[in-house]
Amino acid sequence: MLEKKIIKLILSKWDYGDFRIVFWDKEEFILGKNQPKFSLILKEKIPFYVLFKDTSLIFAQYYMQGKLDIEGDYNEIAKVLYYFSNKKYLKNKNVLSKIAQNKESENIKSHYDLGNDFYKLWLDETMSYSCAYFKNPKETLYEAQLNKIEHTLKKLNLKPKEKLLDIGCGWGWLSVIAAQKYGVEVVGITISKEQYQKANERVKELGLENQIEIKLQNYQDLKYHNYFDKVVSVGMFEHVGRKNLDLYFVKVKQMLKPGGLFLLHSILSMFEGKTNAWIDKYIFPGGYLPSLREVISIMSERDFHLLLAESLRLHYAKTLDIWTNNFNLAVDQVRKKYDEEFIRMWNLYLRSCSAAFKVGSVDLFQLLITKEINNEIPLTQEHIYK
């Protein structure tokens, strides 16, 4: 059968790992020299014309639609995709690929505007949709998210009455703690109406209107000049798009005072390249994960200076594992509003992201940097870890 021949030919180029394909007629195709570590079980034939599209995208779509099942170790699946996608770098590090342009995101809001009720089902009480920080493995997700906020704010070395900009403030918990605990004045921005409404509710409930202003606004539209003492951005940089990376740093520099501190918390990829086709189509349209070297190069050209780079890769893997478990525990409630394809899509998204962090194809960094040079900062970072 021609379709099976084409699939075998395509997958034979995935020259890493041990796995098997079970076709719709029960025929098995084994790849690798050792015992298969995972299986892709096709329940339906893939039409001939579809096979020439992105393979990982097609398989993910078939999984979402219940036409394909996955058995075995998700970490091994992530490894296969990682080594296949980046073999040009891993085999010959002197060879650089041409980096494809990526369109600017126009509809990222659709991901965050699924509804506060949806996210409330599987996030913690802070509604933090970003990497938590586990001081010990037994901590709850809520405790670890509070740790993350505290860990982030300590790095900024906040002082009373300072002005803090929170780019991508989400549901507002970091802004609230910064105002309550450190006495700073906060401007938080988000492009999600759901987040904007909930964050404003929190501010009003806590009587912090004189300290916190939440805006429904894109960072590109902010007009401040040399106004903020500190800037923080948690889990938003991934969505600006490759074409806007430089613009992002230009805008932060415009708004930050000379010598001001900027804490960037973002997922970064190991290598520059295209966004995963399935993620781009179904999860985060227009997003882009730059590499660490790409970010350092761009920010350096804008006269930002790196003080501290910390990887929280394993923390994000653990966070995602908890989210996946929470999501599956709440799946009956999710099913009341969304269909089975949506549920399988989210399950695949959460599990595959965890696996990607575990195999190191992506990382989570907190970068502490200054606008221009600052010789008044503490000589050590002891204040962060006290």
Side-chain angles (χ1 to χ4, degrees):
M1 188 178 291
L2 184 58
E3 288 86 351
K4 289 199 290 186
K5 288 182 179 179
I6 294 174
I7 292 173
K8 291 176 183 180
L9 178 63
I10 292 171
L11 293 179
S12 65
K13 296 179 182 179
W14 292 20
D15 52 354
Y16 177 86
D18 304 290
F19 59 103
R20 70 172 184 147
I21 303 294
V22 180
F23 290 101
W24 45 89
D25 61 1
K26 307 302 180 184
E27 179 187 348
E28 294 187 8
F29 179 54
I30 308 294
L31 294 104
K33 299 179 180 179
N34 304 305
Q35 186 73 17
K37 296 189 171 79
F38 66 89
S39 300
L40 303 177
I41 302 168
L42 285 163
K43 297 180 177 180
E44 295 183 19
K45 182 170 68 173
I46 301 178
F48 176 82
Y49 66 90
V50 173
L51 293 171
F52 296 96
K53 298 180 180 180
D54 184 285
T55 308
S56 62
L57 171 63
I58 297 307
F59 278 20
Q61 288 176 325
Y62 264 54
Y63 176 85
M64 288 162 50
Q65 296 163 8
K67 299 176 182 179
L68 178 148
D69 282 336
I70 299 172
E71 294 179 357
D73 191 344
Y74 271 66
N75 294 345
E76 289 297 323
I77 300 174
K79 280 184 182 178
V80 170
L81 291 173
Y82 173 52
Y83 279 96
F84 175 73
S85 300
N86 297 296
K87 59 184 178 182
K88 64 174 70 70
Y89 297 103
L90 296 169
K91 289 183 177 178
N92 186 352
K93 294 185 179 180
N94 292 321
V95 177
L96 296 176
S97 67
K98 183 179 180 182
I99 302 170
Q101 288 289 329
N102 195 8
K103 64 182 180 180
E104 180 180 355
S105 173
E106 296 177 350
N107 54 356
I108 195 62
K109 292 184 288 184
S110 62
H111 184 91
Y112 294 94
D113 281 340
L114 287 170
N116 293 334
D117 290 341
F118 169 69
Y119 287 102
K120 196 181 297 182
L121 290 174
W122 52 277
L123 296 180
D124 68 292
E125 296 93 319
T126 70
M127 294 284 283
S128 294
Y129 188 29
S130 57
C131 175
Y133 184 71
F134 295 87
K135 291 184 177 180
N136 69 70
K138 294 182 180 181
E139 286 183 321
T140 65
L141 180 60
Y142 173 68
E143 291 170 331
Q145 288 292 7
L146 291 178
N147 290 344
K148 184 272 300 296
I149 293 172
E150 183 65 19
H151 190 61
T152 302
L153 295 177
K154 277 187 173 182
K155 288 181 177 179
L156 288 167
N157 201 23
L158 296 169
K159 307 297 180 185
K161 303 299 182 183
E162 284 187 333
K163 293 178 174 61
L164 172 67
L165 173 63
D166 185 358
I167 302 176
C169 65
W171 286 276
W173 207 271
L174 183 146
S175 294
V176 165
I177 291 180
Q180 286 181 325
K181 186 167 183 177
Y182 294 93
V184 297
E185 299 174 8
V186 186
V187 173
I189 63 169
T190 178
I191 59 173
S192 164
K193 290 183 179 179
E194 292 276 339
Q195 292 180 341
Y196 168 76
Q197 292 169 357
K198 184 61 179 179
N200 267 308
E201 286 177 15
R202 281 180 168 168
V203 170
K204 291 177 181 178
E205 288 171 1
L206 296 169
L208 295 171
E209 297 98 320
N210 292 332
Q211 280 183 266
I212 302 175
E213 180 182 8
I214 304 295
K215 293 173 175 262
L216 185 64
Q217 193 169 18
N218 191 304
Y219 75 96
Q220 296 179 12
D221 299 324
L222 293 174
K223 305 297 183 183
Y224 301 94
H225 290 271
N226 298 326
Y227 181 79
F228 293 99
D229 300 280
K230 311 285 170 66
V231 175
V232 63
S233 184
V234 175
M236 175 271 175
F237 186 62
E238 301 90 333
H239 307 309
V240 304
R242 184 167 183 261
K243 291 192 297 183
N244 290 325
L245 295 179
D246 184 59
L247 173 62
Y248 181 86
F249 281 100
V250 168
K251 290 298 294 185
V252 172
K253 185 173 183 179
Q254 168 196 312
M255 295 180 287
L256 193 57
K257 293 179 180 179
L261 289 174
F262 174 34
L263 190 287
L264 178 63
H265 172 120
S266 178
I267 303 170
L268 301 180
S269 183
M270 284 298 292
F271 305 108
E272 301 85 1
K274 292 182 180 179
T275 301
N276 176 278
W278 180 72
I279 292 289
D280 186 53
K281 182 172 182 177
Y282 289 98
I283 307 300
F284 292 122
Y288 174 69
L289 297 183
S291 68
L292 178 61
R293 63 186 171 197
E294 194 173 9
V295 174
I296 298 298
S297 176
I298 292 171
M299 76 180 204
S300 297
E301 291 173 357
R302 293 297 173 182
D303 201 16
F304 283 98
H305 295 258
L306 180 65
L307 302 178
L308 180 67
E310 182 179 18
S311 168
L312 301 183
R313 179 179 63 84
L314 292 177
H315 294 268
Y316 215 164
K318 185 173 178 61
T319 303
L320 282 155
D321 285 342
I322 295 174
W323 285 346
T324 303
N325 185 60
N326 290 349
F327 181 84
N328 287 325
L329 289 174
V331 74
D332 288 339
Q333 293 172 273
V334 177
R335 194 171 279 118
K336 293 176 181 178
K337 190 172 182 181
Y338 298 99
D339 62 18
E340 204 64 28
E341 182 172 332
F342 177 90
I343 291 169
R344 290 175 72 89
M345 176 183 74
W346 269 82
N347 194 281
L348 179 62
Y349 156 58
L350 293 171
R351 292 185 67 179
S352 60
C353 284
S354 172
F357 281 103
K358 288 173 183 173
V359 303
S361 59
V362 293
D363 208 322
L364 188 287
F365 275 96
Q366 286 198 338
L367 305 179
L368 182 64
I369 61 183
T370 63
K371 171 185 173 179
E372 302 164 0
I373 208 68
N374 183 340
N375 293 328
E376 304 302 319
I377 57 176
L379 289 175
T380 73
Q381 305 292 345
E382 287 181 288
H383 59 282
I384 299 173
Y385 298 99
K386 285 183 179 178

